[in-house]
Amino acid sequence: MSENRKEHRFKVVLPIRITYGGNEIISRTENLSRLGTYTEINREIPTGENVDVTLVLPAYGFGYGKPNHCSPTHGLGYMESQTIALPAYTQDLSPTEEVKCQGNVFRSALLRQSATNKYYGVGIFFMVFTEDKHREKLSDFIEYLAVKEEQEIKVGLKRRREKEETEKIVKHSEEFYVQEEEFRKESLNLLHKISSQLEEINRLLQAENKKQ
């Protein structure tokens, strides 16, 4: 697999727990790759600081995406959404699976603030995973997202082609209708001219008969 694909970021919402300075910050990912993640939190973490990260990946029958509501799961809020099925090579059947690693904050910027809170956009680079299997589970999930994205792109392109073909058919039908309508009008005009000419010939014949 190319490095570009490894570093491709996917827009996926997953529960994330960040431990920094002895405090836990619970949030959700905005995007994710094998190399890191981006999230929004209500506490400032300076660029260059190391943090402990816990991600909760979905397993069979569980979904990811834009959350509807949260319920406690492994100390995190589980993000309920559409149901997905992980690829066959994933054998873990647990409801959720934690991936733990140490990360380094490479980006930290104030996004917005209210009277009581400030919200920061934080980019975290994954450095050292607690166990190799954690890296593998994340890698498998990213691979699944890549395959899913490719499938969705293919489906989208197919639908686009079908839509274009339908539009062509509709356009052709409309053009045919316009042509047919023009032909009908021309035919009526021609019939009207012929009728007028026949009436004129009939009038001339009647006039000639009266002379005789």
Side-chain angles (χ1 to χ4, degrees):
M1 181 180 296
S2 69
E3 289 298 318
N4 287 336
R5 186 169 180 184
K6 285 184 180 180
E7 297 176 8
H8 181 66
R9 293 177 295 178
F10 297 90
K11 291 183 178 180
V12 56
V13 175
L14 294 174
I16 181 172
R17 181 173 64 226
I18 302 169
T19 304
Y20 171 70
N23 297 314
E24 290 187 348
I25 306 168
I26 295 176
S27 185
R28 64 179 188 237
T29 62
E30 299 293 332
N31 62 54
L32 180 69
S33 74
R34 286 181 174 85
L35 300 183
T37 187
Y38 176 80
T39 183
E40 295 183 8
I41 59 177
N42 60 358
R43 179 179 175 181
E44 182 179 13
I45 302 179
T47 302
E49 290 293 307
N50 289 337
V51 295
D52 292 323
V53 176
T54 301
L55 293 168
V56 177
L57 304 183
Y60 287 96
F62 286 78
Y64 69 93
K66 193 171 182 59
N68 296 322
H69 67 273
C70 303
S71 60
T73 303
H74 291 276
L76 302 179
Y78 175 71
M79 304 301 182
E80 180 181 286
S81 62
Q82 61 182 354
T83 298
I84 61 171
L86 292 184
Y89 54 73
T90 301
Q91 299 301 320
D92 179 20
L93 300 179
S94 61
T96 56
E97 181 67 20
E98 290 187 347
V99 170
K100 297 182 178 182
C101 69
Q102 186 181 72
N104 182 265
V105 176
F106 67 88
R107 175 185 176 186
S108 181
L110 179 64
L111 298 177
R112 60 189 181 278
Q113 63 183 42
S114 64
T116 56
N117 286 309
K118 293 182 179 180
Y119 298 91
Y120 298 86
V122 176
I124 301 173
F125 175 71
F126 299 149
M127 296 174 59
V128 180
F129 286 82
T130 305
E131 299 178 52
D132 287 340
K133 69 176 183 179
H134 288 210
R135 182 191 299 275
E136 293 170 359
K137 286 180 180 297
L138 176 61
S139 180
D140 287 347
F141 183 63
I142 294 298
E143 175 66 18
Y144 166 73
L145 294 180
V147 172
K148 188 73 172 177
E149 184 179 79
E150 290 178 0
Q151 292 174 344
E152 290 174 351
I153 290 174
K154 290 179 180 179
V155 171
L157 290 174
K158 180 181 179 182
R159 290 177 178 173
R160 181 177 177 179
R161 287 194 297 268
E162 291 174 348
K163 181 180 178 181
E164 290 175 350
E165 288 298 321
T166 301
E167 290 175 349
K168 287 181 181 179
I169 293 173
V170 172
K171 184 178 180 181
H172 178 73
S173 299
E174 290 175 348
E175 291 175 349
F176 178 79
Y177 175 78
V178 171
Q179 293 174 354
E180 186 179 37
E181 185 66 17
E182 290 177 351
F183 176 77
R184 188 183 69 82
K185 290 179 179 179
E186 290 177 357
S187 299
L188 289 175
N189 289 334
L190 180 60
L191 288 174
H192 180 72
K193 290 179 181 180
I194 293 173
S195 178
S196 298
Q197 291 176 353
L198 289 174
E199 289 177 356
E200 180 63 19
I201 292 172
N202 185 55
R203 187 184 66 78
L204 292 175
L205 289 174
Q206 290 179 353
E208 186 66 24
N209 289 332
K210 287 181 180 180
K211 290 179 181 181
Q212 295 178 358

